[in-house]
Amino acid sequence: MMKYTLVVTALAAALLAGCQENPVSGRKQLVLVSEEQAQASSAQAYAQAVGTAQKQGKLSTDAALNARVKRITDDLVAEAKRMYPPSRDWQWSIAVIDEPQLNAWCMPGGKMAIYTGIVRKLNLTDDEIAQIMGHEISHALLGHGRERMSRAIAMQGGLLIGSAVAGRDLSGLAPIADIALTLPNSREGESEADRYGIELAARAGYDPRAAVRLWEKMNAANSGGPPVFLSTHPSPANRMQALNALVPQMMPLYEKARAR
């Protein structure tokens, strides 16, 4: 029992030491993974994803769409570098993947992708694409990838210690732990990325009102989705309400950017 006590104490100390204040949002985060580790892992995963898409002939060859996405993300990245100066050293990259999914992402270190399905099925405007990619870029700026990795490490360590103390395998509790711990934090991250994503897009000269229109389209396309307590995203109604409340604060930033 002394051995387990020491292990639990060591884990608790590591978790406490891993709580850091995010430089963008000011929120306390569990960070057990270094930025270098997160970026190295992301670069490897990105190269694999893009390489697989290329082998399967699924990298978009639509020159107009590629140029459009590149122009929008370049505008957003320029503002991201002002919002979070360390991102000036990131090796930013964007891939347009020809798949039907309504999806886009940005990994730690600025490795981005958007799927043709979300652009074409929702008939997205430039302002709406900017809202999507501003949201995804904000995940990276806010360190959400490192936070998710850290939570997974902490949860795995907790289950291993719990199994040892209880004298039985508790790995079957992982789904329960995921619902109780990981998903609520992920919803918090989604809301945080919404907040900073709409600002990032506004500062880059993209209409913040498009954020609400975007999620109206997403809600219509994803009707019958999972209940909010089992989702990593806020409910569409909550999301649109929160974004709509932010629009008046963002309009002056948008108008200033457009005036430039």
Side-chain angles (χ1 to χ4, degrees):
M1 181 60 71
M2 178 65 72
K3 178 176 67 176
Y4 299 141
T5 301
L6 291 173
V7 173
V8 172
T9 301
L11 179 61
L15 295 178
L16 185 61
C19 286
Q20 301 176 14
E21 184 175 291
N22 184 275
V24 177
S25 68
R27 178 171 63 85
K28 289 286 187 181
Q29 292 175 296
L30 177 64
V31 181
L32 303 176
V33 179
S34 72
E35 182 66 34
E36 292 75 19
Q37 289 171 320
Q39 289 195 28
S41 176
S42 295
Q44 184 177 2
Y46 183 76
Q48 183 176 351
V50 172
T52 298
Q54 188 171 33
K55 287 178 184 177
Q56 295 175 345
K58 291 182 177 179
L59 282 184
S60 175
T61 57
D62 185 332
L65 177 59
N66 280 303
R68 184 183 175 206
V69 168
K70 179 69 163 53
R71 170 176 52 80
I72 294 167
T73 53
D74 280 352
D75 290 342
L76 295 169
V77 167
E79 291 303 321
K81 291 177 178 179
R82 296 185 182 97
M83 183 179 286
Y84 183 55
S87 68
R88 295 169 185 169
D89 297 327
W90 292 1
Q91 300 301 307
W92 293 89
S93 181
I94 178 69
V96 181
I97 299 176
D98 197 4
E99 289 274 16
Q101 293 98 314
L102 304 184
N103 198 18
W105 40 262
C106 180
M107 295 178 176
K111 303 300 185 185
M112 301 176 284
I114 188 169
Y115 292 74
T116 56
I118 197 168
V119 178
R120 292 171 178 159
K121 288 181 182 178
L122 301 187
N123 192 26
L124 296 181
T125 64
D126 286 4
D127 292 309
E128 290 164 349
I129 292 175
Q131 295 299 330
I132 289 173
M133 296 313 299
H135 171 91
E136 298 303 332
I137 288 169
S138 292
H139 276 308
L141 299 181
L142 292 160
H144 290 160
R146 294 172 64 198
E147 193 173 14
R148 286 194 300 274
M149 292 178 194
S150 299
R151 284 201 304 271
I153 291 170
M155 187 167 64
Q156 184 181 40
L159 287 172
L160 288 173
I161 291 170
S163 296
V165 172
R168 59 191 177 90
D169 184 10
L170 298 179
S171 59
L173 294 178
I176 297 174
D178 187 56
I179 292 172
L181 300 175
T182 308
L183 292 182
N185 286 329
S186 295
R187 287 199 297 273
E188 181 180 32
E190 288 296 326
S191 296
E192 198 171 61
D194 277 350
R195 161 65 184 82
Y196 286 92
I198 192 174
E199 179 178 344
L200 189 66
R203 290 184 182 278
Y206 293 95
D207 192 342
R209 292 168 293 192
V212 180
R213 295 195 299 268
L214 167 67
W215 289 107
E216 288 173 346
K217 290 182 177 182
M218 288 289 285
N219 187 33
N222 286 299
S223 58
V228 66
F229 67 90
L230 289 177
S231 172
T232 58
H233 292 254
S235 72
N238 291 345
R239 187 169 223 158
M240 286 186 282
Q241 183 179 20
L243 287 167
N244 197 47
L246 287 169
V247 168
Q249 302 172 43
M250 300 302 153
M251 286 302 292
L253 300 176
Y254 164 63
E255 290 163 357
K256 182 178 179 181
R258 295 297 294 173
R260 292 200 303 266

